[in-house]
Amino acid sequence: MKQSLQLKLGQQLTMTPQLQQAIRLLQLSTLDLQQEIQEALESNPMLEMTEGEDQSGSDGDSKDSGEANSEGANTTEATAAENTSDDNNTETASDSNDDWQDNIPDDLPVDTNWDDIYQGSGPSSSGSVGPERDDSYFDSQIDNSETLQEHLLWQLNLTPMSDQDRSIAMNIIDAVAPSGLLTSTIEEIYLGLIGQSSPSEAETTEADKEDALSADSETFEDGDTATEAETVVSSATDLDDEDSLSIEEVLAVQHRLQLFDPIGSCSEDLGQCLLVQLNQFPADTPALNSAKLVVREHLAQLGNRDYKQIMRRGRMKEPELKQAILLIQQLTPHPGELIGSSETTYIVPDVFVSKKDDRWSVELNPEIAPKIRINNSYANLVKRADSSDDNTFLRDNLQEARWFLKSLQSRNETLLKVASCIVDKQRGFLDHGPEAMKPLVLHDIAEDVGMHESTISRVTTQKYMHTPQGIFELKYFFSSHVSTDGGGECSSTAIRAIIKKLVAAEDPKKPLSDSKITNLLSDQGIQVARRTIAKYRESLGIAASNERKRLV
């Protein structure tokens, strides 16, 4: 093979570290970006915060540390001086309060800011009142991390009970799911307590369980308390051995646990949970017996909205069934959801959209990321001709800091450019709501801003826009289109909004079917298949027409 020289022309994209960093920052969410900035501040000494409060706080900390070092040899005298100055501080605080109230004018202009009138440090801003608390302190105070099992065990510790019953109760509580229902049957819990698993014994315990359940149901229907039901169950069976454990004892402990807060916990199924809650109503409650009958015998028909069969089998009329259903709707099918940790998730918008002088303006949220800059004191230490290790370390960190700031600026510019283009194309949505949403794809925005579709996809992922219609992810404004009779296009988001509006205005006794919704949209000039309507309806969380049927 003969060697030769050839000249070729070509283009290729080189992913430099700077470009990789810019792409990575572009696709980060607000929380991830704040964490990335914090890590950069901790690792790079050339970066610093630009907020005045942090700088003053750091200066104050350095002064306090210097004073602490100078007074460390004479702590006794410092403590005595602090104690003697308490009275003086109290008098000074009272004098400052009087001055603070006297400096406030009686009449303030309409457009006056509080900071323009009052610049002093009031009682709430002084450090002597109490330690400064950030938002995380209040979040920790309202955070409820108690689980359902912990809540039940707390009540169990306050309930007088024998050691054997307490052991049974702890085993039952261990089998409680977060919803409040048991993950195991009472028979399985009983067999686990006695350590038996033979088929003959299981059949015997099943018969005992049915007898105990029948006796308990009659007792609970008469409105007896859990203690009386336990006495009736225990008296129904004579035990030869006082130390032996029977399934009736397990059932009695379960009935006591079902009366714990929340009512109905530790139940085996939904019907038993609802019956326990119905037993807590007064005996003169309207339609109470009908509600118990529906829950006990016709719960499946109630779930299928088969009201005619319920009225026929239960021998009740429509007004009576309406009252029974209203009473059942007041119950809690999953009582465990009332207890447990519920962390509130807050969405911080990246972009604010507002209307000013009949024009929509777009601006970035200035609070989404800390403001950072290059520390001039450290940057001035870099020497050009010096090749020492220390100078090289400072020069490399200075270059990385400049790249990082440039990547942040590029991210903000790209986000603002894409958000402005989206607002320009979705003005109808901002003025009239989701029904006026226009079809939009990534390619349309990419052509207008002169970027690739992958870049637009990164910008619109996990980025949120605050509009007069609410807070939406930027991905929400992109949707496919459906052709209309007039030759135009209708957005799938607009079709979902129309379906939601039609379902909200329908007659509960005669809900709209998918075919009927298709005909209604066809009358408006929107041609959509019935299967597409079903798909959009399911995506909105709307049940089928037979499940939306209501009697009341």
Side-chain angles (χ1 to χ4, degrees):
M1 179 179 294
K2 183 178 179 181
Q3 296 181 353
S4 61
L5 296 176
Q6 296 180 355
L7 182 62
K8 294 183 179 180
L9 294 177
Q11 292 182 350
Q12 64 178 4
L13 179 62
T14 303
M15 296 290 291
T16 60
Q18 299 88 339
L19 182 59
Q20 294 178 5
Q21 184 184 52
I23 294 176
R24 185 168 56 85
L25 294 180
L26 189 62
Q27 61 187 2
L28 293 179
S29 62
T30 301
L31 296 179
D32 295 337
L33 180 62
Q34 293 177 356
Q35 183 178 1
E36 186 73 19
I37 293 177
Q38 187 64 31
E39 293 178 357
L41 288 171
E42 294 175 356
S43 60
N44 196 330
M46 289 294 176
L47 294 175
E48 66 175 0
M49 301 284 294
T50 60
E51 296 179 356
E53 297 179 357
D54 294 341
Q55 292 177 0
S56 61
S58 61
D59 296 340
D61 294 340
S62 61
K63 293 179 181 180
D64 294 340
S65 61
E67 294 176 356
N69 293 331
S70 62
E71 297 178 358
N74 195 0
T75 57
T76 305
E77 296 179 1
T79 305
E82 182 179 359
N83 294 330
T84 55
S85 62
D86 289 338
D87 298 334
N88 297 332
N89 292 336
T90 305
E91 296 176 358
T92 305
S94 60
D95 296 339
S96 61
N97 292 341
D98 297 337
D99 297 340
W100 170 67
Q101 295 176 358
D102 295 338
N103 293 333
I104 299 178
D106 296 334
D107 297 332
L108 297 178
V110 177
D111 297 334
T112 302
N113 292 328
W114 181 260
D115 295 337
D116 298 337
I117 301 299
Y118 172 60
Q119 298 291 344
S121 57
S124 60
S125 62
S126 61
S128 60
V129 176
E132 296 182 358
R133 297 173 178 176
D134 53 0
D135 296 337
S136 61
Y137 171 79
F138 296 99
D139 293 339
S140 62
Q141 296 299 314
I142 64 176
D143 184 19
N144 181 18
S145 59
E146 184 182 26
T147 62
L148 175 62
Q149 293 182 345
E150 294 174 350
H151 188 64
L152 294 175
L153 289 175
W154 170 72
Q155 299 176 76
L156 179 63
N157 295 330
L158 300 178
T159 304
M161 192 177 294
S162 62
D163 295 340
Q164 184 179 8
D165 291 346
R166 189 174 302 276
S167 177
I168 297 173
M170 294 182 66
N171 281 272
I172 295 177
I173 293 176
D174 288 340
V176 175
S179 62
L181 303 180
L182 294 177
T183 57
S184 303
T185 62
I186 292 297
E187 179 185 355
E188 295 174 351
I189 295 175
Y190 169 70
L191 293 176
L193 288 170
I194 64 177
Q196 296 178 356
S197 60
S198 60
S200 60
E201 293 172 348
E203 294 176 0
T204 304
T205 55
E206 180 66 21
D208 296 338
K209 178 185 174 183
E210 293 178 357
D211 296 338
L213 286 176
S214 62
D216 292 343
S217 61
E218 296 176 359
T219 304
F220 270 73
E221 287 178 5
D222 294 339
D224 294 339
T225 60
T227 306
E228 296 173 350
E230 181 181 358
T231 304
V232 173
V233 173
S234 60
S235 62
T237 304
D238 294 330
L239 299 177
D240 297 336
D241 188 1
E242 294 180 356
D243 296 336
S244 62
L245 178 64
S246 63
I247 193 172
E248 290 83 0
E249 298 182 36
V250 181
L251 289 171
V253 174
Q254 181 199 15
H255 295 328
R256 297 188 66 179
L257 294 178
Q258 287 175 339
L259 299 180
F260 283 6
D261 180 62
I263 300 293
S265 300
C266 304
S267 300
E268 291 191 57
D269 51 27
L270 177 61
Q272 188 180 18
C273 176
L274 297 179
L275 278 177
V276 172
Q277 298 180 46
L278 287 174
N279 290 329
Q280 308 309 311
F281 285 89
D284 57 349
T285 302
L288 179 60
N289 295 330
S290 300
K292 291 182 180 180
L293 178 62
V294 171
V295 171
R296 186 167 51 249
E297 299 181 5
H298 309 292
L299 192 59
Q301 289 78 10
L302 181 62
N304 295 329
R305 308 292 197 280
D306 194 355
Y307 303 117
K308 294 183 179 180
Q309 188 175 2
I310 296 176
M311 290 186 291
R312 180 175 57 83
R313 292 185 177 183
R315 296 180 181 181
M316 61 182 68
K317 296 183 179 180
E318 183 174 344
E320 184 179 1
L321 180 59
K322 285 183 179 180
Q323 290 184 352
I325 293 177
L326 288 175
L327 186 60
I328 295 174
Q329 289 177 349
Q330 299 177 18
L331 307 178
T332 305
H334 300 287
E337 296 179 354
L338 302 177
I339 306 296
S341 59
S342 56
E343 297 182 359
T344 305
T345 303
Y346 299 95
I347 296 179
V348 180
D350 300 82
V351 180
F352 287 103
V353 179
S354 59
K355 197 170 187 178
K356 299 178 181 178
D357 300 332
D358 295 335
R359 296 183 61 184
W360 291 102
S361 62
V362 183
E363 57 184 5
L364 295 178
N365 185 3
E367 304 297 334
I368 59 175
K371 300 176 179 62
I372 59 176
R373 65 182 179 186
I374 295 178
N375 192 324
N376 294 327
S377 300
Y378 289 160
N380 294 331
L381 298 178
V382 179
K383 301 178 181 180
R384 296 183 179 180
D386 192 356
S387 60
S388 60
D389 295 339
D390 295 339
N391 192 72
T392 303
F393 173 78
L394 294 175
R395 184 167 54 248
D396 294 342
N397 281 276
L398 178 60
Q399 187 66 27
E400 291 179 2
R402 290 174 178 172
W403 290 343
F404 188 77
L405 293 177
K406 186 177 181 180
S407 299
L408 287 178
Q409 182 180 1
S410 176
R411 178 186 185 274
N412 294 336
E413 292 176 354
T414 305
L415 180 59
L416 182 61
K417 187 183 299 184
V418 172
S420 302
C421 186
I422 292 176
V423 169
D424 185 62
K425 291 184 177 295
Q426 299 294 354
R427 293 181 180 177
F429 167 80
L430 298 174
D431 292 328
H432 307 287
E435 297 181 8
M437 182 78 74
K438 294 182 179 180
L440 186 65
V441 293
L442 296 176
H443 180 70
D444 299 337
I445 302 296
E447 285 186 347
D448 292 347
V449 300
M451 298 180 180
H452 196 267
E453 295 183 19
S454 60
T455 305
I456 305 300
S457 178
R458 293 187 180 96
V459 174
T460 55
T461 302
Q462 296 182 350
K463 312 296 189 306
Y464 295 90
M465 178 185 294
H466 184 280
T467 67
Q469 301 292 340
I471 299 178
F472 303 94
E473 188 180 6
L474 296 184
K475 288 284 188 182
Y476 173 78
F477 298 95
F478 296 89
S479 60
S480 57
H481 66 277
V482 176
S483 301
T484 60
D485 294 339
E489 296 179 348
C490 183
S491 171
S492 60
T493 304
I495 296 176
R496 289 186 176 91
I498 296 174
I499 294 174
K500 188 176 181 180
K501 183 178 180 180
L502 292 175
V503 171
E506 68 182 2
D507 186 5
K509 296 184 178 180
K510 296 180 180 180
L512 299 175
S513 62
D514 295 339
S515 301
K516 183 63 176 178
I517 296 176
T518 303
N519 296 333
L520 293 176
L521 291 177
S522 179
D523 296 340
Q524 299 181 14
I526 304 175
Q527 299 297 333
V528 187
R530 185 190 61 82
R531 291 175 297 179
T532 305
I533 295 296
K535 182 180 67 174
Y536 290 166
R537 175 179 54 76
E538 292 175 357
S539 64
L540 292 173
I542 301 175
S545 58
N546 58 339
E547 298 179 3
R548 299 199 309 269
K549 187 176 181 181
R550 295 289 186 272
L551 186 63
V552 292

